[in-house]
Amino acid sequence: MRLWQKSLKYYLIVLLFLVLMVSLVYVSLKHQKEKVIETVVEIPQNTSTKDVAMILKKNGIIKNPYFFMFYVKLNNYKIAAGKYKLSSDMTYRELCRALEKGFVPKGAIKFTIPEGFTVQQIAKKLQSLGLVDENKFLETVNSYDFNFKYKYSSKEVKYKLEGFLFPDTYEVYPDTSEKDIIKMMLNRFLEVYEKIKDKKTTDLDDVQTVILASIVEKEAKKDSERSIIAGVFLNRLQKGMKLESCATVEYVLPVHKEVLSLQDIKIKSPYNTYLKKGLPPSAICSPGRKSLLAALAPAKTDYLFFVAKRDGTHIFSKTFEDHLKVQKQTEEGKK
């Protein structure tokens, strides 16, 4: 190649680079002229630069995720996990400096939803914190179209989103709407479940898995027994036996009961697994990650029955005869 051709190629590369840099600087200084958007954005732990860029684009903070990725790498910024109050009129430099620090937005209220809470319990807790109107929250759960990935097929469900409002710690502003809080919890469910659902070893679909996980959440008191209890219920399903879970009956009772009466287990409801075969029409609470994992990959055992002991653990049995013996021994021990 002649010298002048080499020089031309070099100058073209330099010119292209300069054009790119000018474009990047322009975009970083004024990358969005439309209506300014202010929102709280959460960056989870171990999120890649690409995923951070996609999160910012999804929330309307940036337009071009690839420009942002290039800017971050060019300036060697280290983005920290956390929650950030960001605005679409921030420059890339301002965004990156904010995302390096990791902070809780001023005025945010933190709340924790325990594993095993029902939609009703969640609504009641959020109202007690002054964050929502309980009735409006419950109405929104059933009336608003969240375009959520997972849906119950039965029309007999009590709450359409039962089981999908993920139990975790959240931070919101006092004026956050019921709809936005629900969306936040649904997104958290997807974030957790989508990462673990490939561990599934059963023939249950995703919705059935969540229903089973919710029963495990209510029945298991010890983490070491979650997968075993899931295995018991799966065995009963496969054999066409009724699940006979007290937790499913309690879900439709007006008040909590430690011990169900014979009258309780005769209550007519699609959730009464003493009368109805198969899984209930929906989850009966919000299962945590451990219960979801147990339902995805239940322990492989021959157990078909279990009885609770005083310390919260269970005695598992393979036959009904052994189950009756354990029941008798347990009842005598309680006297």
Side-chain angles (χ1 to χ4, degrees):
M1 185 181 291
R2 295 178 181 178
L3 182 60
W4 70 270
Q5 290 177 317
K6 289 183 179 179
S7 299
L8 181 60
K9 184 179 179 181
Y10 171 77
Y11 285 121
L12 285 174
I13 292 172
V14 171
L15 181 61
L16 183 62
F17 180 76
L18 288 173
V19 170
L20 180 62
M21 290 302 296
V22 170
S23 300
L24 184 60
V25 170
Y26 174 77
V27 172
S28 69
L29 291 174
K30 205 74 177 175
H31 58 79
Q32 196 165 6
K33 293 183 179 179
E34 290 86 1
K35 183 180 177 182
V36 174
I37 296 171
E38 287 189 357
T39 187
V40 175
V41 176
E42 181 177 4
I43 306 298
Q45 292 284 350
N46 303 316
T47 304
S48 67
T49 303
K50 180 182 178 182
D51 288 340
V52 170
M54 294 303 176
I55 290 171
L56 296 180
K57 183 179 187 301
K58 183 179 178 181
N59 282 274
I61 301 301
I62 63 173
K63 273 190 169 184
N64 193 312
Y66 301 103
F67 269 163
F68 180 79
M69 289 162 56
F70 181 75
Y71 186 84
V72 170
K73 291 181 179 179
L74 183 68
N75 293 278
N76 199 30
Y77 281 108
K78 304 297 181 187
I79 296 174
K83 290 181 188 261
Y84 305 88
K85 184 180 180 183
L86 303 175
S87 172
S88 60
D89 64 352
M90 295 172 74
T91 66
Y92 284 174
R93 184 168 179 266
E94 290 170 336
L95 281 172
C96 291
R97 283 193 164 186
L99 291 167
E100 275 194 316
K101 295 176 183 178
F103 68 94
V104 176
K106 207 170 183 180
I109 297 173
K110 182 183 286 189
F111 67 89
T112 299
I113 300 301
E115 295 168 346
F117 257 36
T118 65
V119 165
Q120 281 186 308
Q121 288 174 311
I122 292 170
K124 193 175 292 292
K125 174 159 187 173
L126 293 179
Q127 177 169 277
S128 71
L129 295 172
L131 291 173
V132 305
D133 175 270
E134 181 180 348
N135 291 329
K136 187 177 179 182
F137 185 91
L138 295 174
E139 181 185 335
T140 304
V141 164
N142 273 348
S143 63
Y144 187 80
D145 182 12
F146 286 94
N147 195 27
F148 189 60
K149 182 175 181 179
Y150 301 112
K151 299 181 186 297
Y152 296 119
S153 58
S154 173
K155 293 181 180 179
E156 297 179 298
V157 299
K158 192 174 179 183
Y159 293 109
K160 290 197 301 185
L161 298 177
E162 189 75 83
F164 300 115
L165 302 183
F166 194 75
D168 206 344
T169 297
Y170 300 90
E171 285 159 0
V172 298
Y173 285 101
D175 60 349
T176 305
S177 69
E178 286 84 356
K179 181 176 70 177
D180 286 339
I181 291 176
I182 292 168
K183 279 184 179 178
M184 188 184 301
M185 299 179 78
L186 290 175
N187 288 337
R188 181 60 180 145
F189 172 85
L190 290 176
E191 184 182 350
V192 173
Y193 186 70
E194 294 295 311
K195 287 181 180 178
I196 63 175
K197 70 175 187 177
D198 62 344
K199 298 182 184 297
K200 186 164 63 172
T201 61
T202 74
D203 292 328
L204 300 179
D205 62 31
D206 291 313
V207 171
Q208 291 171 325
T209 299
V210 174
I211 296 174
L212 176 58
S214 73
I215 300 174
V216 172
E217 188 66 62
K218 283 294 190 180
E219 295 280 6
K221 305 302 179 187
K222 304 291 182 180
D223 289 344
S224 59
E225 292 187 347
R226 291 182 195 275
S227 63
I228 304 174
I229 289 174
V232 170
F233 286 127
L234 185 64
N235 288 343
R236 293 179 73 92
L237 284 172
Q238 291 173 341
K239 289 180 179 294
M241 299 171 66
K242 296 185 182 78
L243 295 185
E244 297 185 350
S245 166
C246 294
T248 63
V249 177
E250 189 182 336
Y251 180 68
V252 294
L253 294 179
V255 293
H256 170 71
K257 287 187 175 183
E258 290 295 334
V259 181
L260 298 182
S261 67
L262 289 175
Q263 203 63 34
D264 292 329
I265 61 176
K266 291 178 182 178
I267 187 170
K268 290 184 178 179
S269 167
Y271 286 90
N272 186 349
T273 55
Y274 277 89
L275 299 179
K276 176 183 174 293
K277 282 186 179 181
L279 292 165
S282 77
I284 58 171
C285 71
S286 293
R289 186 175 183 276
K290 291 176 182 177
S291 290
L292 286 168
L293 282 169
L296 285 165
K300 293 181 179 179
T301 72
D302 294 327
Y303 295 135
L304 292 170
F305 307 92
F306 60 83
V307 175
K309 297 194 294 183
R310 283 185 176 182
D311 63 359
T313 60
H314 295 82
I315 300 174
F316 299 90
S317 304
K318 297 178 182 179
T319 67
F320 185 60
E321 290 74 18
D322 288 342
H323 177 60
L324 290 177
K325 290 177 185 177
V326 171
Q327 273 188 325
K328 186 176 180 180
Q329 293 168 0
T330 305
E331 288 170 3
E332 289 175 351
K334 291 178 180 178
K335 291 179 181 179

